[in-house]
Amino acid sequence: MKFSILATLGSLALISAAPTVHSVHEKREVNTEKWTKRDVKLTRSATMPMSIGLTQRNLDNGYEYLMDVSHPESANYGQHWSKEKIAETFAPSTETVDAVKAWLTESGIDSKRLSLSKGKNWIKFDITVEEAENLLKTEYSVYTNTETGKDHLACDEYSVPPSIKQHIDFITPTLHFDAIVKTNKKRRDLQGRAIKTKPVSGAHQGDTIVGAPSTIVGPSTEVVPQPAVTFSLANCYTYVTPDCLRALYGIPNGTLSSSSYGIVEYTPQAYRQADLNQFYINLSRQIPSGTAPTVDLIDGAVVQTTTESFALNGESDLDLEYAIALVYPQEVTLYQVGDIVEGASFNNFLDAIDASYCTSDGGDDATEDGIYPDTASGGYKGAANCGTLAAASVISTSYGYNEADLTAAYETRQCNEYMKLGLAGTTFVYSSGDYGVAGNGGQCCTKAKCAGGTYNSGSTGTFNPAFPATCPYITSVGATQIKPSTAVTATNPEEACETVIYSGGGFSNVFSIPSYQASAVATYFSDYKPSYTATQYNNSGTTRGFPDVSANGANYVVAVDETLQLIYGTSASAPTFGSIITLINQQRIAAGKGVVGFINPTLYANTAAFTDIISGGNQGCGTAGFTAVAGWDPVTGLGTPNYAALLAAFMALP
Ligand SMILES: *[C@@H]1O[C@H](CO)[C@@H](O)[C@H](O)[C@H]1NC(C)=O
Ligand SMILES: *[C@@H]1O[C@H](CO)[C@@H](O)[C@H](O)[C@H]1NC(C)=O
Ligand SMILES: *[C@@H]1O[C@H](CO)[C@@H](O)[C@H](O)[C@H]1NC(C)=O
């Protein structure tokens, strides 16, 4: 006890004795080609909001805590934590808060200017460019995004005193640039021909918006009139419907409504009720017209109806039509995130359901996340939603970044929030990406380890893994397709999806391998190690492999803008897999048990609950990608779910 008091006094003395010695805290590894540094003189007195992410306590133990409530062999399986216990366990120590405050005040930032967030995770204040340059021993410049022309303030590295380093995760604004987040889906008309997406007008297309429409360009120009086709189990190979998915995975029709299932969409993406109604008429007759999701609007979100197009309605219609059809009469919650002007990021969504992440007075990263109130004309003037919404028991998201778009510190911080929400009992399902081993848009990296987010057109280069698909605390879902002329049954294997899209998969450059998948991945490397070199991907077997599982992702019949179309993507696989976990939660609740929460340890401990996928691959970056093989593989994970077996595995747990 005495020793620790002495140690504290000692380090405080060191701060005031050696105020000028700084060490580099974060540094851009390579210059990104997306942003060019401009030769403009900055107004030294201009102010900017600065946020310091404080080091939280006990994060090193987070994995063990989560395994304690999620591992099927743990005596505490299912004993999820209260929000209070989570907040208390991870809040930064008083010592951390005091040390950072002392550094700031000694550097001339008056303590009255500082505010500490509710969760004590962030210190926020306004600072002039001159003060920031002195504080962080850096130089700020204006960078212009070569694609959008948007300007952004950033520096290439920054430093803090060595005694402060341990108390700080990262500081914004510094290195971090905006990132483009793409939805994972492609489409064809009912004859299987590609459809060209008309340019979207009227919607904001800034690239910080997660829901910004991606550009999908194909050879033909118009949506073809609906042909007179019949949907049946006999033609699931051509047209995937909710009935096909039920047959493929042995999913029963829903009968209960005791659980909760959330689908996340980002403005300006929007569903249309008329599309849901059309879908019920053609493909899910038991669902009454007008059946809608419960809509939770986050940060001034709107389900916009001003602009209709596949690019704006396709993702939301797909996710909701299949989620609703598969779990009906269970209600589905739509979390619609972000206002129409600024949009939002995954962090904004986390803010709304996880008070320990957000701060009502700052904490998001102004360069990556929507900042509310939104000062832009027409933007949402209210405060950001902070812990105001309950998290559904299963939450499915079909949007994703490239890992290389964001810094490791930013990703680690976000990933740790999924760990906390897992402790609270929420299952997070994310699509694994649609470009095989390449990243969004089929791009690959020009630098080893994908450092710096510099991409090429995708015919060569380093594999480009997706985020949050590589976060070890979420379940990453890849895509499969039905093999020609095989009967659709719960045990006939599909193959990796190679129609229009390729299942995202590979190995992280950021996250190390979680123990729950260590043996599955080790077997893959010992039996099937591909010949690619370490410059193509991290082939050490020590980093997180993804996806965890897969589900059909080809030829989904979806009503978009009241026209039936075929959609392809892990975007379809994720809500389908999430629906299965929701149905399992209902059965557990009916048996007086709790919801499943973080499922990966149970999935990897029950590989027999999956139909192993052993053919097809996920080509990209000028290679054949990885190949689906016996056991876990970085194309289809453990395989596709067998509902009855998976239900039995979860029902056997307390
Ligand atoms: C589900 O319900 C639909 C419509 O009532 C029916 O056609 C279908 O056979 C049912 N499927 C299963 C697996 O029970
Ligand atoms: C879908 O339903 C509409 C009625 O709203 C019908 O005219 C059309 O033929 C159906 N399409 C298919 C492919 O079943
Ligand atoms: C692969 O990941 C491990 C663990 O993070 C790291 O030590 C190693 O340097 C990485 N290898 C390459 C080639 O990036």
Side-chain angles (χ1 to χ4, degrees), residues 32-38 142-152 177-180 206-208:
T32 159
E33 286 142 25
K34 257 188 350 208
W35 295 88
T36 43
K37 198 189 274 193
R38 277 178 43 202
V142 175
Y143 289 77
T144 304
N145 184 310
T146 49
E147 287 158 20
T148 64
K150 214 178 138 185
D151 287 341
H152 177 70
F177 285 125
D178 313 38
I180 300 171
D207 65 359
T208 50

Side-chain angles (χ1 to χ4, degrees), residues 243 246-247 251-253 285-286:
D243 279 341
R246 280 189 274 262
I251 314 172
N253 281 330
R285 285 195 168 273
Q286 72 277 23

Side-chain angles (χ1 to χ4, degrees), residues 190 226-231 277-278 281-283 285 557 564:
L190 280 188
Q226 290 177 36
V229 295
T230 46
F231 301 123
N277 293 345
Q278 183 71 47
I281 288 170
N282 287 118
L283 293 154
R285 285 195 168 273
V557 182
L564 296 182

Side-chain angles (χ1 to χ4, degrees), residues 292-375:
T294 304
V295 182
D296 278 340
L297 300 175
I298 295 170
D299 295 344
V302 283
V303 181
Q304 63 85 23
T305 53
T306 45
T307 309
E308 292 178 354
S309 69
F310 177 82
L312 289 172
N313 304 122
E315 183 67 62
S316 299
D317 281 341
L318 162 69
D319 297 346
L320 288 167
E321 287 169 14
Y322 277 83
I324 290 172
L326 291 174
V327 302
Y328 184 82
Q330 175 67 57
E331 259 182 49
V332 170
T333 299
L334 165 63
Y335 296 109
Q336 181 80 32
V337 196
D339 74 357
I340 197 84
V341 174
E342 190 181 18
S345 69
F346 299 145
N347 281 355
N348 293 114
F349 172 62
L350 288 170
D351 287 344
I353 58 165
D354 174 10
S356 88
Y357 196 55
C358 72
T359 66
S360 52
D361 50 354
D364 287 318
D365 179 342
T367 67
E368 314 284 4
D369 309 324
I371 298 296
Y372 295 102
D374 179 356
T375 50

Side-chain angles (χ1 to χ4, degrees), residues 114-125:
L114 308 177
S115 60
L116 182 65
S117 68
K118 263 193 232 161
K120 295 204 215 161
N121 292 338
W122 302 87
I123 290 179
K124 197 200 159 185
F125 48 99

Side-chain angles (χ1 to χ4, degrees), residues 449 508-512 534-535 537-540 542-543:
K449 301 182 199 173
S508 177
N509 289 308
V510 173
F511 298 101
S512 55
T535 49
Y537 78 105
N538 192 316
N539 63 0
S540 65
T542 62
T543 67

